[in-house]
Amino acid sequence: MNPARVLILCTGNSCRSQMAEGLWNALSQGKWRCLSAGSKPAGYVHPQAIQVMNERDIDLSANISKHLDEFAAD
């Protein structure tokens, strides 16, 4: 059975939406598939967002900033 899916949208997709994606995926324990995207992606995930999430044992280091158009067909 496929997990439920959610897409978190924002502007830059570099900080809060990335943190929300990581937290949602960690807390849902596989029951949800969360992704995030932005209307004007910054092109990177903010280093402080990665650091703060590492403190919660959630690794965002491989995340990338994504444009919402990548998910238009889904």
Side-chain angles (χ1 to χ4, degrees):
M1 187 171 194
N2 292 331
R5 298 186 305 166
V6 63
L7 177 62
I8 298 173
L9 299 174
C10 68
T11 305
N13 191 228
S14 65
C15 192
R16 290 171 291 199
S17 57
Q18 292 285 343
M19 295 170 75
E21 175 184 339
L23 192 57
W24 195 311
N25 283 325
L27 293 176
S28 74
Q29 299 177 340
K31 294 178 183 166
W32 285 82
R33 172 69 172 128
C34 182
L35 296 164
S36 64
S39 58
K40 297 178 184 176
Y44 65 95
V45 178
H46 198 286
Q48 289 179 332
I50 294 170
Q51 178 184 347
V52 167
M53 295 307 285
N54 276 338
E55 293 171 8
R56 295 191 57 93
D57 295 322
I58 299 172
D59 184 11
L60 299 183
S61 63
N63 284 30
I64 58 170
S65 179
K66 302 168 289 296
H67 194 278
L68 62 92
D69 287 347
E70 293 181 37
F71 303 98
D74 288 342

